[in-house]
Amino acid sequence: MALKNLGDLPVLPLPESFALTAAYNEDSFPNKVNLGQGVYRDNNCQPWVLPSVRKAEETLHNQQVNHEYLPIAGDSKFLTKARDLLFSPEIGSSENITSLQTIAGTGANHLAAIFCARNLHPKNVFISDPTWDNHHLIWEVAAPNVTRKLYPYYEPSTRGLNFEGMLAELENSAEENDVVILHACAHNPTGIDPTKEQWKKIAEVVGRKKLFVVFDCAYQGFASGDTDADAWAIRYFYSTLFAESSSLTPAGMFVCQSLSKNFGLYGERIGALHLVTPSSNSPEGAKAHLVQFVRAEISCPSLFGARIVQTVLDDAELRSKWQEDVRIMALRIKGVRTLLKLELEKLGTPGDWSHIEQQIGMFSFTGLSSAQVQELKEKHHIYMLSNGRMSLSGLNESNVAYVAQAIRDVL
Ligand SMILES: Cc1ncc(COP(=O)(O)O)c(C=O)c1O
């Protein structure tokens, strides 16, 4: 039905993490703490420009680069480096991997959803319960005819993975060609990843049922501090399911790669989408369609982030400096996990807080209720998502005792 009056459109709420940051910025309380947005902060709560990235900026400045348009699919040198970072150089050069530069991880997820909706026509997309909230919005906007279904992921009673529930849902409800979104590592928001043995079983089911896999990889390096270790699941799926001899090849596989977090390039919006096609399928038609969607949406991607990433990854010395930067971020977050757990225990806070230390990546799924989260904000000026997700990089040696005391208070 045509809209008669623009004023009839309902006002929609801001996504929670953005609304929280806006509220935090307005808060004049001196000891306020932002544990909402998934961005890295240093031990002084400040944004951290990675030293390797700073060096690459200087190099680019000295090169007096131009500002021409990129090809629609993006910068081929950047794409080779980004692809090899995910898949390894051995796998990366395979002919059945097609890569396009995207507007960060969000753009990659969006492009994957458009492609699936328009070309694959799945009945359902299976999304982990819970997940990064934007997965829902992206698929709602880009693929309104695809039914969004949740697969069990987090089990509150164990504060762990509901692996049996996850597998049973895919086994019983997913049909050939349906899409399943998997977080490659450092699951957002739970901080819980499948073990290698569990990944192998997931791969078996998605291959046998001929599902279409969408790996979302936004935190490569943040789970373990090692970018190769964090790409294990993606490489395993590729090597076992897409080998020519495999009888378990899925309908296809997308990997949505964000370089926002592991390069600290949040606002530069740099990422890539990689499509893996079964070896019997030519990738040319799929690539042409992806290129057409990019052309319609952004014409061609942006330069700066691609140049930075390519400059860092192309230079052996800078690359190893960057790997050290990633380790520093991962280890600092690991360190504040332990600090928070110890502070909570020191205060005799009721309950078992070991999950904070055991969870992986940027977030802790604390188990705090939305009412407790609300009280933390109103009484203590501590901002975190209402589902109890805490972005740990907002913690540091100076504020961790304050946060622990506040949690003790709201329980
Ligand atoms: C799971 C997940 N996927 C994708 C993204 C997208 O990141 P960006 O678009 O900033 O690269 C995020 C960011 O928070 C995320 O947590």
Side-chain angles (χ1 to χ4, degrees):
M1 201 168 47
L3 183 74
K4 290 215 182 77
N5 183 346
L6 278 182
D8 289 343
L9 282 172
V11 177
L12 301 174
L14 258 188
E16 194 184 5
S17 63
F18 283 83
L20 273 181
T21 299
Y24 170 85
N25 288 339
E26 299 233 316
D27 188 335
S28 58
F29 185 69
N31 295 331
K32 64 184 178 176
V33 185
N34 190 356
L35 306 176
Q37 218 168 16
V39 290
Y40 183 76
R41 292 288 177 258
D42 68 13
N43 198 38
N44 298 313
C45 268
Q46 295 306 307
W48 194 51
V49 179
L50 276 55
S52 52
V53 165
R54 211 36 123 203
K55 189 88 187 73
E57 283 172 1
E58 284 163 24
T59 305
L60 289 171
H61 181 74
N62 293 335
Q63 282 173 353
Q64 300 268 303
V65 290
N66 65 32
H67 302 285
E68 295 300 294
Y69 285 129
L70 277 175
I72 301 172
D75 180 334
S76 59
K77 286 192 190 141
F78 155 77
L79 284 169
T80 303
K81 294 288 168 199
R83 190 193 64 195
D84 291 356
L85 180 65
L86 264 186
F87 289 95
S88 79
E90 296 70 48
I91 297 176
S93 55
S94 311
E95 282 184 356
N96 64 341
I97 304 180
T98 301
S99 303
L100 290 95
Q101 191 179 323
T102 57
I103 304 297
T106 304
N109 274 278
H110 190 241
L111 188 55
I114 292 180
F115 179 88
C116 289
R118 293 193 168 236
N119 298 107
L120 190 71
H121 306 292
K123 200 162 153 203
N124 306 300
V125 53
F126 286 82
I127 301 179
S128 71
D129 180 19
T131 192
W132 177 49
D133 60 353
N134 213 12
H135 281 147
H136 286 283
L137 188 58
I138 287 170
W139 281 80
E140 183 187 322
V141 170
N145 295 331
V146 180
T147 305
R148 280 172 287 127
K149 286 196 170 160
L150 295 174
Y151 61 81
Y153 195 84
Y154 180 72
E155 174 50 51
S157 64
T158 59
R159 292 201 170 125
L161 178 63
N162 179 356
F163 181 63
E164 284 70 32
M166 171 184 186
L167 224 54
E169 179 64 15
L170 296 179
E171 189 71 74
N172 300 329
S173 307
E175 299 174 25
E176 187 170 334
N177 246 21
D178 275 356
V179 174
V180 55
I181 301 177
L182 300 168
H183 295 228
C185 64
H187 184 272
N188 177 7
T190 66
I192 300 162
D193 288 342
T195 62
K196 286 184 181 171
E197 288 316 304
Q198 289 170 334
W199 275 124
K200 288 180 188 172
K201 290 187 180 145
I202 298 167
E204 195 276 330
V205 172
V206 302
R208 177 165 41 77
K209 300 208 68 170
K210 304 242 169 289
L211 308 185
F212 196 102
V213 181
V214 175
F215 262 117
D216 188 3
C217 186
Y219 298 95
Q220 188 183 3
F222 274 86
S224 66
D226 176 344
T227 49
D228 285 322
D230 287 3
W232 187 89
I234 292 169
R235 294 177 191 179
Y236 176 82
F237 271 53
Y238 180 87
S239 307
T240 53
L241 300 181
F242 290 89
E244 258 179 64
S245 55
S246 170
S247 56
L248 295 175
T249 307
M253 179 164 94
F254 273 126
V255 184
C256 306
Q257 180 180 26
S258 166
L259 297 153
S260 306
K261 323 270 176 175
N262 50 14
F263 279 81
L265 288 171
Y266 305 95
E268 301 304 342
R269 315 307 293 136
I270 181 67
L273 178 68
H274 309 275
L275 170 66
V276 180
T277 37
S279 52
S280 57
N281 299 178
S282 159
E284 295 307 319
K287 179 163 188 186
H289 281 79
L290 287 165
V291 163
Q292 203 175 60
F293 295 137
V294 174
R295 171 72 175 146
E297 211 159 59
I298 57 169
S299 195
C300 63
S302 50
L303 267 173
F304 186 65
R307 279 179 169 156
I308 294 276
V309 171
Q310 204 255 322
T311 304
V312 169
L313 295 180
D314 201 31
D315 178 294
E317 204 179 311
L318 217 47
R319 187 187 179 106
S320 85
K321 209 175 168 51
W322 169 71
Q323 269 155 346
E324 187 50 30
D325 295 340
V326 172
R327 249 190 308 277
I328 287 170
M329 293 191 285
L331 288 182
R332 198 188 85 69
I333 294 179
K334 221 164 177 271
V336 295
R337 285 184 182 280
T338 307
L339 279 183
L340 180 59
K341 178 188 158 250
L342 289 177
E343 286 292 338
L344 287 165
E345 286 172 356
K346 208 163 86 187
L347 294 168
T349 315
D352 175 3
W353 296 95
S354 52
H355 59 286
I356 293 188
E357 202 174 22
Q358 283 154 10
Q359 291 164 351
I360 296 166
M362 205 175 239
F363 306 111
S364 174
F365 214 45
T366 57
L368 293 170
S369 68
S370 64
Q372 289 163 338
V373 168
Q374 182 73 10
E375 206 179 335
L376 279 177
K377 183 166 93 173
E378 282 166 8
K379 262 176 87 178
H380 301 285
H381 307 261
I382 295 170
Y383 293 77
M384 52 188 275
L385 295 194
S386 57
N387 63 7
R389 187 197 83 170
M390 179 185 280
S391 179
L392 290 156
S393 74
L395 286 179
N396 56 51
E397 285 156 13
S398 315
N399 66 16
V400 69
Y402 173 74
V403 170
Q405 183 65 63
I407 292 175
R408 173 82 186 81
D409 181 64
V410 302
L411 282 180

